Coordinates of all heavy atoms in Angstrom, one line a residue:
L647 N 71.4 185.2 13.5 CA 70.1 184.5 13.5 C 69.1 185.3 12.8 O 69.0 186.5 13.0 CB 69.7 184.2 14.9 CG 70.5 183.2 15.7 CD1 70.0 183.1 17.1 CD2 70.5 181.8 15.1
S648 N 68.2 184.7 12.0 CA 67.1 185.3 11.4 C 66.0 185.5 12.5 O 66.1 184.9 13.5 CB 66.5 184.5 10.2 OG 66.0 183.3 10.7
D649 N 65.0 186.3 12.2 CA 63.9 186.5 13.1 C 63.2 185.2 13.4 O 62.8 184.9 14.5 CB 62.9 187.5 12.6 CG 63.5 189.0 12.7 OD1 64.5 189.2 13.4 OD2 62.9 189.8 12.0
R650 N 63.1 184.4 12.3 CA 62.4 183.1 12.4 C 63.2 182.2 13.4 O 62.6 181.5 14.2 CB 62.3 182.5 11.0 CG 61.9 181.0 11.0 CD 60.5 180.8 11.4 NE 60.0 179.5 11.0 CZ 59.0 178.9 11.6 NH1 58.3 179.5 12.6 NH2 58.6 177.7 11.2
E651 N 64.5 182.1 13.2 CA 65.4 181.3 14.0 C 65.4 181.8 15.5 O 65.4 180.9 16.4 CB 66.8 181.3 13.5 CG 66.9 180.5 12.1 CD 68.2 180.8 11.4 OE1 68.9 181.8 11.8 OE2 68.5 180.0 10.5
K652 N 65.4 183.1 15.7 CA 65.3 183.6 17.1 C 64.0 183.2 17.7 O 64.0 182.8 18.9 CB 65.4 185.1 17.1 CG 66.8 185.6 16.7 CD 66.8 187.2 16.7 CE 68.1 187.7 16.3 NZ 68.1 189.2 16.1
F653 N 62.9 183.2 17.0 CA 61.6 182.8 17.6 C 61.7 181.4 17.9 O 61.2 181.0 19.1 CB 60.5 183.1 16.6 CG 59.2 182.4 17.0 CD1 58.4 183.0 17.9 CD2 58.8 181.2 16.4 CE1 57.2 182.4 18.3 CE2 57.6 180.6 16.8 CZ 56.8 181.2 17.7
L654 N 62.1 180.5 17.1 CA 62.1 179.1 17.3 C 63.0 178.7 18.5 O 62.6 177.9 19.4 CB 62.7 178.3 16.1 CG 61.8 178.3 14.9 CD1 62.5 177.7 13.7 CD2 60.5 177.6 15.1
L655 N 64.1 179.4 18.7 CA 65.0 179.1 19.8 C 64.6 179.7 21.1 O 64.9 179.1 22.2 CB 66.4 179.5 19.5 CG 67.1 178.7 18.4 CD1 68.5 179.3 18.0 CD2 67.3 177.2 18.7
N656 N 63.9 180.8 21.1 CA 63.7 181.5 22.3 C 62.2 181.6 22.8 O 61.9 181.6 23.9 CB 64.1 183.0 22.2 CG 65.6 183.1 22.2 OD1 66.3 182.6 23.1 ND2 66.2 183.8 21.2
D657 N 61.3 181.6 21.8 CA 59.9 181.8 22.1 C 58.9 180.7 21.7 O 57.8 180.6 22.2 CB 59.4 183.1 21.5 CG 60.2 184.3 21.9 OD1 60.4 184.5 23.2 OD2 60.7 185.1 21.1
S658 N 59.4 179.8 20.9 CA 58.5 178.7 20.5 C 58.2 177.8 21.7 O 59.0 177.5 22.5 CB 59.1 177.9 19.4 OG 58.4 176.7 19.1
K659 N 57.0 177.3 21.7 CA 56.6 176.4 22.7 C 56.8 174.9 22.3 O 56.8 174.0 23.2 CB 55.1 176.5 23.0 CG 54.7 177.8 23.7 CD 53.2 177.9 24.0 CE 52.8 179.2 24.7 NZ 51.3 179.2 25.0
Y660 N 57.1 174.7 21.0 CA 57.2 173.3 20.6 C 58.5 173.0 19.8 O 58.9 171.8 19.7 CB 56.0 173.0 19.7 CG 54.7 173.2 20.4 CD1 53.8 174.3 20.0 CD2 54.3 172.4 21.4 CE1 52.6 174.5 20.6 CE2 53.1 172.6 22.1 CZ 52.3 173.6 21.7 OH 51.1 173.8 22.3
F661 N 59.2 174.0 19.3 CA 60.4 173.7 18.5 C 61.5 173.1 19.3 O 61.8 173.5 20.4 CB 60.9 174.9 17.8 CG 62.2 174.7 17.0 CD1 62.1 174.0 15.8 CD2 63.4 175.1 17.5 CE1 63.3 173.7 15.1 CE2 64.6 174.8 16.8 CZ 64.5 174.1 15.5
C662 N 62.2 172.1 18.8 CA 63.3 171.4 19.4 C 64.3 171.0 18.3 O 64.0 170.5 17.3 CB 62.8 170.2 20.2 SG 64.2 169.2 20.9
T663 N 65.6 171.3 18.6 CA 66.6 171.0 17.6 C 66.9 169.5 17.4 O 67.5 169.0 16.4 CB 68.0 171.7 17.9 OG1 68.4 171.2 19.2 CG2 67.8 173.2 17.9
L664 N 66.5 168.7 18.4 CA 66.9 167.3 18.4 C 66.5 166.5 17.2 O 67.2 165.6 16.7 CB 66.4 166.6 19.7 CG 67.1 167.2 21.0 CD1 66.6 166.4 22.2 CD2 68.6 167.1 20.9
P665 N 65.3 166.6 16.7 CA 64.9 165.9 15.5 C 65.8 166.2 14.2 O 65.7 165.5 13.2 CB 63.4 166.2 15.2 CG 62.9 166.6 16.6 CD 64.1 167.3 17.2
W666 N 66.6 167.2 14.3 CA 67.5 167.5 13.3 C 69.0 167.1 13.6 O 69.9 167.3 12.8 CB 67.5 169.0 13.0 CG 66.3 169.4 12.2 CD1 66.2 169.6 10.8 CD2 65.0 169.8 12.7 NE1 65.0 170.1 10.5 CE2 64.2 170.2 11.6 CE3 64.5 169.8 14.0 CZ2 62.9 170.6 11.7 CZ3 63.1 170.2 14.1 CH2 62.4 170.6 13.0
T667 N 69.2 166.6 14.8 CA 70.6 166.4 15.2 C 70.8 165.0 15.9 O 71.9 164.7 16.2 CB 71.0 167.5 16.2 OG1 70.1 167.5 17.4 CG2 71.1 168.9 15.6
H668 N 69.7 164.3 16.1 CA 69.8 163.2 17.2 C 68.8 162.1 16.9 O 67.7 162.3 16.3 CB 69.5 163.9 18.5 CG 69.3 163.0 19.7 ND1 70.3 162.2 20.2 CD2 68.3 162.8 20.5 CE1 69.9 161.6 21.2 NE2 68.7 161.9 21.4
L669 N 69.1 160.9 17.4 CA 68.2 159.8 17.5 C 68.4 159.2 18.9 O 69.6 159.2 19.4 CB 68.4 158.8 16.4 CG 67.7 159.0 15.1 CD1 68.0 157.9 14.1 CD2 66.1 159.1 15.2
H670 N 67.4 158.5 19.4 CA 67.5 157.8 20.6 C 67.0 156.4 20.4 O 66.0 156.2 19.7 CB 66.7 158.5 21.7 CG 66.6 157.7 23.0 ND1 67.7 157.4 23.8 CD2 65.6 157.1 23.6 CE1 67.3 156.7 24.8 NE2 66.0 156.5 24.7
A671 N 67.6 155.4 21.1 CA 67.1 154.0 21.0 C 67.2 153.4 22.3 O 68.2 153.5 23.1 CB 67.9 153.2 20.0
Y672 N 66.1 152.7 22.7 CA 66.0 151.9 23.9 C 66.9 150.6 23.7 O 67.3 150.3 22.6 CB 64.6 151.4 24.1 CG 63.7 152.3 24.8 CD1 64.0 153.7 24.9 CD2 62.4 151.9 25.3 CE1 63.1 154.6 25.5 CE2 61.6 152.8 25.9 CZ 61.9 154.1 26.0 OH 61.0 154.9 26.6
P673 N 67.3 150.0 24.8 CA 68.0 148.7 24.7 C 67.3 147.6 23.9 O 68.0 146.7 23.5 CB 68.2 148.3 26.2 CG 68.1 149.6 26.9 CD 67.1 150.4 26.2
N674 N 66.0 147.7 23.8 CA 65.3 146.7 23.0 C 65.1 147.1 21.5 O 64.4 146.5 20.7 CB 63.9 146.4 23.6 CG 63.0 147.6 23.5 OD1 63.4 148.7 23.1 ND2 61.7 147.4 24.0
G675 N 65.8 148.2 21.1 CA 65.8 148.7 19.7 C 64.7 149.7 19.4 O 64.8 150.4 18.3
A676 N 63.7 149.9 20.2 CA 62.7 150.9 20.0 C 63.3 152.3 19.8 O 64.1 152.7 20.7 CB 61.6 150.9 21.1
A677 N 63.0 153.0 18.8 CA 63.7 154.3 18.5 C 62.7 155.5 18.7 O 61.5 155.4 18.4 CB 64.2 154.3 17.0
Y678 N 63.3 156.6 19.1 CA 62.5 157.8 19.5 C 63.3 159.0 19.1 O 64.5 159.0 18.9 CB 62.3 157.8 21.0 CG 61.5 156.6 21.5 CD1 62.1 155.5 21.9 CD2 60.1 156.7 21.6 CE1 61.4 154.4 22.3 CE2 59.4 155.6 22.0 CZ 60.0 154.4 22.4 OH 59.3 153.4 22.8
P679 N 62.6 160.2 19.0 CA 63.4 161.4 18.7 C 64.3 161.8 19.9 O 65.3 162.6 19.7 CB 62.3 162.5 18.5 CG 61.1 161.9 19.3 CD 61.2 160.4 19.1
C680 N 64.0 161.4 21.1 CA 64.9 161.6 22.2 C 64.5 160.7 23.4 O 63.5 160.0 23.3 CB 64.8 163.1 22.7 SG 63.4 163.5 23.7
C681 N 65.3 160.7 24.5 CA 65.1 159.8 25.6 C 63.8 160.1 26.4 O 63.4 159.3 27.2 CB 66.3 159.8 26.5 SG 66.6 161.3 27.4
L682 N 63.3 161.3 26.2 CA 62.1 161.7 27.0 C 60.8 161.5 26.3 O 59.7 161.7 26.8 CB 62.2 163.2 27.5 CG 61.6 163.6 28.8 CD1 62.3 162.8 29.9 CD2 61.7 165.1 29.1
A683 N 60.9 161.1 25.0 CA 59.7 160.9 24.2 C 58.8 159.8 24.9 O 59.3 158.8 25.4 CB 60.1 160.5 22.8
K684 N 57.5 159.9 24.7 CA 56.6 158.9 25.3 C 56.9 157.6 24.7 O 56.9 157.4 23.4 CB 55.2 159.4 25.0 CG 54.7 160.6 25.7 CD 54.4 160.4 27.1 CE 53.0 159.7 27.2 NZ 52.6 159.5 28.7
H685 N 57.0 156.6 25.6 CA 57.4 155.2 25.1 C 56.4 154.6 24.2 O 56.6 153.7 23.5 CB 57.8 154.4 26.3 CG 56.7 154.0 27.1 ND1 55.9 152.9 26.9 CD2 56.2 154.5 28.3 CE1 54.9 152.8 27.8 NE2 55.1 153.8 28.7
E686 N 55.1 155.1 24.3 CA 54.0 154.5 23.6 C 54.1 154.8 22.1 O 53.5 154.2 21.2 CB 52.7 155.0 24.1 CG 52.4 154.6 25.5 CD 52.7 155.7 26.5 OE1 53.6 156.5 26.2 OE2 52.1 155.7 27.6

């Protein structure tokens, strides 16, 4: 891991891998970056 990658995975308050690996969709089709994203 680079220093940048170590920071993102261990110390960042906001970085999350999910927007690079994942999509989420409600049963009505509404799509989000993950299931915990604000429904608004």
